[in-house]
Amino acid sequence: MKQCYATRGFLPCQDPATELVLGEPYAVLDTVGNSLPSLLLEKDARNYLRRVFVPDWPYINIPDDLWPQACLYYVRLGFIASGYINQIGQPNCHSLPANLARPLCKIAKLMQRPPILSYDGYALFNWRRFDIRKPVQLGNIDTIQNFVHLYDEHWFILVHIEIEALAADILDAVLSLQGEVQPRDVDAALDKIAMAMTSIIQVLQRIPERMSDELYFSKFRPYIGQFQEVVYEGVNIDPISYRGETGAQSSIMPLLTEFMKIPHQDNRLTRHLYDMRQYMPVDHRVMLEQVRAMPDVKTVANSDKFDAVLELMACFREVHYHWAIKYIARRCNDQQGTGGTPYMRWLKFLIEETRGHKKSGGKGTVVA
């Protein structure tokens, strides 16, 4: 899949496809996908979905010009599969029928990713612009696929889309430092990253504007939960578990962590963080490894500029931490996020270690 990191960040270069044009049999995925929020309100939704004929991806690979179609095919199937397994108000389900499991596993294998809806399908590939002449930002974007008839879910996704769009400046700054660079180049890049992070934090702070904590927790968070011991019928006979969709699968903060060379301790929490990378698009994983191999800029960077980026990273995680409390922790004793992330302890560790990497000695606000 072609990437335009400096202009689109981790969003696809081309706006996502909104309709499958692979042939008439594939229209069923658009039909079922568009009807999914209504279907999931019905007790017999699983019976209906078991009878839907879903044609396999029609090629042995994914040609470059068909990546938008492949992404939409994956988005539709990923939503339908998660809706089937995690349907609210119905008994727990640990078996995905073959008519959904086989095509989902085939497209996932071609995309080199696990066969479950992840952050890429829920957010990165799941948006359209009202006016293509205007930027990818709130007010000019909407979702393609949803689980529920609530704008709260749209807003939750769309906030992440604008954040990803703003992150293009971060990638542009990081990529500008490839090869031999001077201290002034490093400082200019850090300034650009700081400006982007300031804007990103402002957007993340807007989450409560149009998203109810009650509706998030009860009406659509369950649909993006993990698969626990699920049998993919017609594909494998042994139950398997996968992480659910979570912002921890976004590549933005991992990229900044690699660029700033923050030495997070090797423990269960950081290993969990690395496990999330397998749910990222393969090109994003490659990018993270490339940034990891870049030289450490800490020794040549202006102390104030370097520390400013670290402080903004910590502030971003603090906002995330407080939303996790508001939207999840206050409503249950579950110490795991939607993707199975042990977020309460994990975020505190990341915040403290981020500030501890400052050239000035790690001073800053501590999360209560």
Side-chain angles (χ1 to χ4, degrees):
M1 180 168 59
K2 183 181 179 183
Q3 295 292 345
C4 305
Y5 294 122
T7 56
R8 283 291 189 104
F10 288 113
L11 294 176
C13 289
Q14 185 178 341
D15 285 20
T18 59
E19 182 181 9
L20 288 166
V21 293
L22 298 167
E24 191 277 332
Y26 294 86
V28 67
L29 279 173
D30 287 332
T31 300
V32 175
N34 291 330
S35 302
L36 192 64
S38 295
L39 280 171
L40 293 176
L41 296 174
E42 304 299 328
K43 292 181 180 179
D44 63 347
R46 287 174 177 160
N47 290 331
Y48 172 80
L49 292 173
R50 274 195 295 267
R51 299 194 300 270
V52 173
F53 172 72
V54 178
D56 281 346
W57 176 253
Y59 304 98
I60 61 172
N61 57 15
I62 305 176
D64 288 344
D65 62 330
L66 287 181
W67 263 100
Q69 287 289 296
C71 291
L72 179 59
Y73 181 88
Y74 152 60
V75 168
R76 296 294 198 196
L77 263 173
F79 266 84
I80 293 167
S82 288
Y84 185 98
I85 294 295
N86 296 322
Q87 188 182 9
I88 294 172
Q90 299 304 308
N92 291 338
C93 180
H94 297 280
S95 181
L96 188 66
N99 66 312
L100 303 177
R102 284 174 176 161
L104 177 58
C105 287
K106 180 176 180 179
I107 192 64
K109 184 176 181 180
L110 291 174
M111 297 177 79
Q112 301 179 55
R113 55 160 325 0
I116 187 174
L117 180 72
S118 302
Y119 178 81
D120 55 358
Y122 195 59
L124 299 180
F125 309 147
N126 186 26
W127 55 275
R128 62 182 179 87
R129 282 187 285 179
F130 297 127
D131 187 340
I132 61 172
R133 298 167 299 180
K134 295 181 179 179
V136 180
Q137 63 184 26
L138 293 170
N140 191 44
I141 49 176
D142 198 7
T143 55
I144 298 168
Q145 176 69 62
N146 289 85
F147 285 113
V148 297
H149 290 301
L150 291 168
Y151 190 74
D152 302 65
E153 186 188 20
H154 292 246
W155 184 252
F156 179 59
I157 296 170
L158 298 175
V159 164
H160 288 83
I161 299 304
E162 179 163 352
I163 286 172
E164 295 287 344
L166 290 168
D169 280 348
I170 294 174
L171 274 88
D172 187 33
V174 170
L175 294 174
S176 73
L177 298 179
Q178 293 180 331
E180 207 160 319
V181 295
Q182 300 298 319
R184 64 176 178 274
D185 301 321
V186 172
D187 292 343
L190 290 170
D191 280 340
K192 191 167 188 176
I193 293 170
M195 289 180 65
M197 283 301 298
T198 299
S199 297
I200 284 171
I201 291 168
Q202 290 171 348
V203 173
L204 185 61
Q205 289 172 327
R206 296 186 63 186
I207 281 280
E209 285 184 21
R210 298 187 180 184
M211 192 174 89
S212 156
D213 51 337
E214 178 182 357
L215 293 177
Y216 167 78
F217 187 82
S218 63
K219 299 300 183 183
F220 60 93
R221 178 182 181 251
Y223 284 118
I224 53 178
Q226 56 192 316
F227 282 12
Q228 294 183 317
E229 296 294 301
V230 170
V231 172
Y232 284 68
E233 296 178 10
V235 180
N236 70 299
I237 58 174
D238 296 324
I240 190 167
S241 299
Y242 289 113
R243 305 288 187 187
E245 186 282 333
T246 168
Q249 293 161 356
S250 168
S251 302
I252 298 171
M253 295 301 283
L255 177 131
L256 278 174
T257 299
E258 297 290 10
F259 174 69
M260 301 295 285
K261 305 292 187 268
I262 302 172
H264 291 306
Q265 293 182 23
D266 181 22
N267 54 38
R268 186 176 68 88
L269 300 175
T270 51
R271 287 192 291 273
H272 174 93
L273 178 62
Y274 269 88
D275 181 53
M276 287 298 178
R277 295 192 181 193
Q278 69 173 306
Y279 296 87
M280 299 173 182
V282 63
D283 291 343
H284 298 186
R285 285 177 257 153
V286 171
M287 171 59 72
L288 294 183
E289 290 305 311
Q290 291 174 349
V291 174
R292 181 174 189 155
M294 291 174 65
D296 190 348
V297 300
K298 184 174 183 178
T299 56
V300 299
N302 173 278
S303 295
D304 290 341
K305 296 178 186 296
F306 186 85
D307 290 356
V309 170
L310 289 171
E311 182 60 27
L312 286 164
M313 290 176 68
C315 289
F316 175 88
R317 294 200 188 279
E318 283 181 332
V319 176
H320 181 196
Y321 178 87
H322 289 300
W323 289 161
I325 293 174
K326 174 180 174 65
Y327 285 92
I328 302 174
R330 289 178 180 172
R331 297 190 166 271
C332 68
N333 292 321
D334 182 7
Q335 293 300 298
Q336 292 190 337
T338 50
T341 311
Y343 62 92
M344 300 300 283
R345 288 181 56 211
W346 178 52
L347 285 172
K348 282 189 176 183
F349 271 115
L350 295 183
I351 292 166
E352 291 167 1
E353 290 174 351
T354 296
R355 288 195 167 114
H357 190 53
K358 288 182 180 181
K359 295 183 77 168
S360 62
K363 296 179 180 179
T365 307
V366 177
V367 176

mmCIF file of all heavy atoms in Angstrom, residues 185-214:
data_model
loop_
_atom_site.group_PDB
_atom_site.id
_atom_site.type_symbol
_atom_site.label_atom_id
_atom_site.label_comp_id
_atom_site.label_asym_id
_atom_site.label_seq_id
_atom_site.Cartn_x
_atom_site.Cartn_y
_atom_site.Cartn_z
ATOM 1 N N ASP A 185 18.962 21.431 12.349
ATOM 2 C CA ASP A 185 17.940 20.617 11.698
ATOM 3 C C ASP A 185 17.136 19.840 12.744
ATOM 4 O O ASP A 185 15.911 19.728 12.653
ATOM 5 C CB ASP A 185 18.583 19.634 10.710
ATOM 6 C CG ASP A 185 19.376 20.331 9.625
ATOM 7 O OD1 ASP A 185 18.926 21.397 9.145
ATOM 8 O OD2 ASP A 185 20.446 19.821 9.254
ATOM 9 N N VAL A 186 17.846 19.324 13.733
ATOM 10 C CA VAL A 186 17.187 18.585 14.810
ATOM 11 C C VAL A 186 16.242 19.502 15.575
ATOM 12 O O VAL A 186 15.084 19.147 15.857
ATOM 13 C CB VAL A 186 18.228 17.966 15.762
ATOM 14 C CG1 VAL A 186 17.539 17.359 16.991
ATOM 15 C CG2 VAL A 186 19.055 16.909 15.037
ATOM 16 N N ASP A 187 16.713 20.687 15.908
ATOM 17 C CA ASP A 187 15.889 21.624 16.668
ATOM 18 C C ASP A 187 14.653 22.054 15.873
ATOM 19 O O ASP A 187 13.562 22.195 16.430
ATOM 20 C CB ASP A 187 16.708 22.847 17.072
ATOM 21 C CG ASP A 187 17.788 22.508 18.099
ATOM 22 O OD1 ASP A 187 17.686 21.427 18.718
ATOM 23 O OD2 ASP A 187 18.718 23.316 18.271
ATOM 24 N N ALA A 188 14.829 22.261 14.565
ATOM 25 C CA ALA A 188 13.680 22.627 13.726
ATOM 26 C C ALA A 188 12.660 21.495 13.687
ATOM 27 O O ALA A 188 11.441 21.730 13.740
ATOM 28 C CB ALA A 188 14.149 22.969 12.314
ATOM 29 N N ALA A 189 13.154 20.265 13.607
ATOM 30 C CA ALA A 189 12.249 19.115 13.604
ATOM 31 C C ALA A 189 11.504 19.001 14.929
ATOM 32 O O ALA A 189 10.301 18.726 14.968
ATOM 33 C CB ALA A 189 13.028 17.836 13.313
ATOM 34 N N LEU A 190 12.204 19.203 16.027
ATOM 35 C CA LEU A 190 11.565 19.135 17.345
ATOM 36 C C LEU A 190 10.503 20.221 17.504
ATOM 37 O O LEU A 190 9.435 19.985 18.093
ATOM 38 C CB LEU A 190 12.621 19.265 18.442
ATOM 39 C CG LEU A 190 13.574 18.059 18.583
ATOM 40 C CD1 LEU A 190 14.725 18.401 19.525
ATOM 41 C CD2 LEU A 190 12.822 16.824 19.082
ATOM 42 N N ASP A 191 10.783 21.413 16.973
ATOM 43 C CA ASP A 191 9.774 22.485 17.004
ATOM 44 C C ASP A 191 8.516 22.067 16.243
ATOM 45 O O ASP A 191 7.393 22.311 16.701
ATOM 46 C CB ASP A 191 10.342 23.767 16.386
ATOM 47 C CG ASP A 191 11.235 24.540 17.345
ATOM 48 O OD1 ASP A 191 11.125 24.317 18.566
ATOM 49 O OD2 ASP A 191 12.045 25.361 16.858
ATOM 50 N N LYS A 192 8.710 21.458 15.084
ATOM 51 C CA LYS A 192 7.571 21.033 14.270
ATOM 52 C C LYS A 192 6.778 19.936 14.962
ATOM 53 O O LYS A 192 5.540 19.929 14.953
ATOM 54 C CB LYS A 192 8.058 20.554 12.896
ATOM 55 C CG LYS A 192 6.941 20.335 11.889
ATOM 56 C CD LYS A 192 7.487 20.175 10.481
ATOM 57 C CE LYS A 192 6.342 20.148 9.466
ATOM 58 N NZ LYS A 192 6.845 20.082 8.067
ATOM 59 N N ILE A 193 7.483 19.013 15.591
ATOM 60 C CA ILE A 193 6.817 17.945 16.343
ATOM 61 C C ILE A 193 6.028 18.531 17.503
ATOM 62 O O ILE A 193 4.886 18.131 17.769
ATOM 63 C CB ILE A 193 7.844 16.918 16.846
ATOM 64 C CG1 ILE A 193 8.458 16.162 15.665
ATOM 65 C CG2 ILE A 193 7.196 15.936 17.824
ATOM 66 C CD1 ILE A 193 9.657 15.297 16.037
ATOM 67 N N ALA A 194 6.613 19.489 18.206
ATOM 68 C CA ALA A 194 5.942 20.106 19.351
ATOM 69 C C ALA A 194 4.657 20.817 18.924
ATOM 70 O O ALA A 194 3.626 20.727 19.605
ATOM 71 C CB ALA A 194 6.882 21.081 20.050
ATOM 72 N N MET A 195 4.715 21.512 17.802
ATOM 73 C CA MET A 195 3.518 22.197 17.307
ATOM 74 C C MET A 195 2.423 21.195 16.952
ATOM 75 O O MET A 195 1.245 21.390 17.278
ATOM 76 C CB MET A 195 3.871 23.046 16.085
ATOM 77 C CG MET A 195 4.698 24.284 16.386
ATOM 78 S SD MET A 195 5.075 25.256 14.904
ATOM 79 C CE MET A 195 3.418 25.775 14.430
ATOM 80 N N ALA A 196 2.813 20.095 16.300
ATOM 81 C CA ALA A 196 1.829 19.073 15.939
ATOM 82 C C ALA A 196 1.232 18.427 17.188
ATOM 83 O O ALA A 196 0.016 18.208 17.272
ATOM 84 C CB ALA A 196 2.476 18.015 15.047
ATOM 85 N N MET A 197 2.078 18.118 18.163
ATOM 86 C CA MET A 197 1.583 17.489 19.397
ATOM 87 C C MET A 197 0.648 18.416 20.156
ATOM 88 O O MET A 197 -0.337 17.957 20.763
ATOM 89 C CB MET A 197 2.760 17.073 20.282
ATOM 90 C CG MET A 197 3.466 15.805 19.839
ATOM 91 S SD MET A 197 2.356 14.358 19.784
ATOM 92 C CE MET A 197 1.877 14.231 21.518
ATOM 93 N N THR A 198 0.919 19.707 20.138
ATOM 94 C CA THR A 198 0.019 20.663 20.792
ATOM 95 C C THR A 198 -1.360 20.608 20.156
ATOM 96 O O THR A 198 -2.385 20.571 20.859
ATOM 97 C CB THR A 198 0.602 22.090 20.686
ATOM 98 O OG1 THR A 198 1.871 22.138 21.348
ATOM 99 C CG2 THR A 198 -0.337 23.097 21.332
ATOM 100 N N SER A 199 -1.402 20.574 18.830
ATOM 101 C CA SER A 199 -2.692 20.490 18.126
ATOM 102 C C SER A 199 -3.384 19.160 18.396
ATOM 103 O O SER A 199 -4.606 19.100 18.578
ATOM 104 C CB SER A 199 -2.475 20.669 16.619
ATOM 105 O OG SER A 199 -1.949 21.947 16.331
ATOM 106 N N ILE A 200 -2.617 18.080 18.429
ATOM 107 C CA ILE A 200 -3.173 16.746 18.668
ATOM 108 C C ILE A 200 -3.803 16.673 20.057
ATOM 109 O O ILE A 200 -4.903 16.125 20.233
ATOM 110 C CB ILE A 200 -2.070 15.685 18.492
ATOM 111 C CG1 ILE A 200 -1.798 15.473 17.005
ATOM 112 C CG2 ILE A 200 -2.440 14.382 19.183
ATOM 113 C CD1 ILE A 200 -0.584 14.614 16.707
ATOM 114 N N ILE A 201 -3.132 17.221 21.047
ATOM 115 C CA ILE A 201 -3.684 17.213 22.411
ATOM 116 C C ILE A 201 -4.990 18.004 22.459
ATOM 117 O O ILE A 201 -5.962 17.584 23.100
ATOM 118 C CB ILE A 201 -2.654 17.789 23.404
ATOM 119 C CG1 ILE A 201 -1.474 16.824 23.549
ATOM 120 C CG2 ILE A 201 -3.301 18.043 24.775
ATOM 121 C CD1 ILE A 201 -0.280 17.411 24.277
ATOM 122 N N GLN A 202 -5.035 19.127 21.775
ATOM 123 C CA GLN A 202 -6.264 19.934 21.737
ATOM 124 C C GLN A 202 -7.426 19.147 21.138
ATOM 125 O O GLN A 202 -8.565 19.248 21.604
ATOM 126 C CB GLN A 202 -6.014 21.216 20.950
ATOM 127 C CG GLN A 202 -5.100 22.196 21.653
ATOM 128 C CD GLN A 202 -4.683 23.364 20.772
ATOM 129 O OE1 GLN A 202 -4.891 23.358 19.555
ATOM 130 N NE2 GLN A 202 -4.088 24.387 21.375
ATOM 131 N N VAL A 203 -7.151 18.349 20.110
ATOM 132 C CA VAL A 203 -8.210 17.541 19.498
ATOM 133 C C VAL A 203 -8.628 16.415 20.449
ATOM 134 O O VAL A 203 -9.826 16.154 20.629
ATOM 135 C CB VAL A 203 -7.745 16.961 18.148
ATOM 136 C CG1 VAL A 203 -8.769 15.977 17.594
ATOM 137 C CG2 VAL A 203 -7.507 18.091 17.147
ATOM 138 N N LEU A 204 -7.665 15.749 21.073
ATOM 139 C CA LEU A 204 -7.996 14.668 22.006
ATOM 140 C C LEU A 204 -8.850 15.180 23.161
ATOM 141 O O LEU A 204 -9.737 14.462 23.663
ATOM 142 C CB LEU A 204 -6.712 14.029 22.538
ATOM 143 C CG LEU A 204 -6.895 12.807 23.440
ATOM 144 C CD1 LEU A 204 -7.592 11.671 22.698
ATOM 145 C CD2 LEU A 204 -5.556 12.332 23.993
ATOM 146 N N GLN A 205 -8.620 16.398 23.579
ATOM 147 C CA GLN A 205 -9.398 16.977 24.675
ATOM 148 C C GLN A 205 -10.863 17.202 24.292
ATOM 149 O O GLN A 205 -11.701 17.426 25.164
ATOM 150 C CB GLN A 205 -8.756 18.294 25.122
ATOM 151 C CG GLN A 205 -7.434 18.106 25.858
ATOM 152 C CD GLN A 205 -6.718 19.415 26.130
ATOM 153 O OE1 GLN A 205 -6.802 20.363 25.339
ATOM 154 N NE2 GLN A 205 -5.992 19.482 27.245
ATOM 155 N N ARG A 206 -11.176 17.131 23.006
ATOM 156 C CA ARG A 206 -12.546 17.367 22.545
ATOM 157 C C ARG A 206 -13.440 16.130 22.647
ATOM 158 O O ARG A 206 -14.647 16.216 22.373
ATOM 159 C CB ARG A 206 -12.528 17.864 21.089
ATOM 160 C CG ARG A 206 -11.848 19.209 20.901
ATOM 161 C CD ARG A 206 -11.998 19.694 19.465
ATOM 162 N NE ARG A 206 -13.404 19.921 19.122
ATOM 163 C CZ ARG A 206 -13.826 20.236 17.900
ATOM 164 N NH1 ARG A 206 -12.950 20.359 16.901
ATOM 165 N NH2 ARG A 206 -15.116 20.433 17.663
ATOM 166 N N ILE A 207 -12.893 15.005 23.026
ATOM 167 C CA ILE A 207 -13.668 13.757 23.087
ATOM 168 C C ILE A 207 -15.035 13.927 23.774
ATOM 169 O O ILE A 207 -16.062 13.495 23.256
ATOM 170 C CB ILE A 207 -12.859 12.644 23.796
ATOM 171 C CG1 ILE A 207 -11.842 12.047 22.824
ATOM 172 C CG2 ILE A 207 -13.752 11.551 24.338
ATOM 173 C CD1 ILE A 207 -12.391 11.028 21.857
ATOM 174 N N PRO A 208 -15.115 14.569 24.951
ATOM 175 C CA PRO A 208 -16.418 14.643 25.637
ATOM 176 C C PRO A 208 -17.449 15.533 24.949
ATOM 177 O O PRO A 208 -18.623 15.504 25.332
ATOM 178 C CB PRO A 208 -16.060 15.218 27.020
ATOM 179 C CG PRO A 208 -14.587 15.041 27.164
ATOM 180 C CD PRO A 208 -14.044 15.147 25.791
ATOM 181 N N GLU A 209 -17.038 16.333 23.969
ATOM 182 C CA GLU A 209 -17.989 17.245 23.332
ATOM 183 C C GLU A 209 -19.207 16.511 22.767
ATOM 184 O O GLU A 209 -20.329 16.987 22.866
ATOM 185 C CB GLU A 209 -17.304 18.020 22.189
ATOM 186 C CG GLU A 209 -16.384 19.129 22.657
ATOM 187 C CD GLU A 209 -15.808 19.907 21.493
ATOM 188 O OE1 GLU A 209 -16.394 19.864 20.384
ATOM 189 O OE2 GLU A 209 -14.761 20.565 21.674
ATOM 190 N N ARG A 210 -18.962 15.357 22.150
ATOM 191 C CA ARG A 210 -20.053 14.647 21.494
ATOM 192 C C ARG A 210 -20.027 13.147 21.780
ATOM 193 O O ARG A 210 -20.564 12.361 21.010
ATOM 194 C CB ARG A 210 -20.001 14.879 19.974
ATOM 195 C CG ARG A 210 -20.176 16.341 19.578
ATOM 196 C CD ARG A 210 -20.300 16.511 18.086
ATOM 197 N NE ARG A 210 -20.464 17.911 17.725
ATOM 198 C CZ ARG A 210 -20.676 18.353 16.479
ATOM 199 N NH1 ARG A 210 -20.740 17.475 15.486
ATOM 200 N NH2 ARG A 210 -20.805 19.628 16.226
ATOM 201 N N MET A 211 -19.392 12.767 22.888
ATOM 202 C CA MET A 211 -19.375 11.345 23.241
ATOM 203 C C MET A 211 -19.701 11.165 24.711
ATOM 204 O O MET A 211 -18.944 11.572 25.588
ATOM 205 C CB MET A 211 -18.029 10.701 22.917
ATOM 206 C CG MET A 211 -18.081 9.178 22.989
ATOM 207 S SD MET A 211 -16.551 8.382 22.445
ATOM 208 C CE MET A 211 -15.643 8.306 23.992
ATOM 209 N N SER A 212 -20.836 10.555 24.962
ATOM 210 C CA SER A 212 -21.286 10.259 26.322
ATOM 211 C C SER A 212 -20.498 9.084 26.871
ATOM 212 O O SER A 212 -20.327 8.064 26.189
ATOM 213 C CB SER A 212 -22.785 9.926 26.300
ATOM 214 O OG SER A 212 -23.156 9.142 27.405
ATOM 215 N N ASP A 213 -20.037 9.215 28.122
ATOM 216 C CA ASP A 213 -19.328 8.088 28.731
ATOM 217 C C ASP A 213 -20.252 6.896 28.927
ATOM 218 O O ASP A 213 -19.850 5.740 28.751
ATOM 219 C CB ASP A 213 -18.666 8.500 30.048
ATOM 220 C CG ASP A 213 -19.611 9.209 31.001
ATOM 221 O OD1 ASP A 213 -20.614 9.769 30.546
ATOM 222 O OD2 ASP A 213 -19.326 9.208 32.207
ATOM 223 N N GLU A 214 -21.511 7.158 29.259
ATOM 224 C CA GLU A 214 -22.466 6.062 29.454
ATOM 225 C C GLU A 214 -22.717 5.301 28.154
ATOM 226 O O GLU A 214 -22.701 4.072 28.119
ATOM 227 C CB GLU A 214 -23.797 6.604 29.988
ATOM 228 C CG GLU A 214 -24.857 5.531 30.171
ATOM 229 C CD GLU A 214 -26.186 6.092 30.642
ATOM 230 O OE1 GLU A 214 -26.264 7.311 30.878
ATOM 231 O OE2 GLU A 214 -27.141 5.305 30.763
#
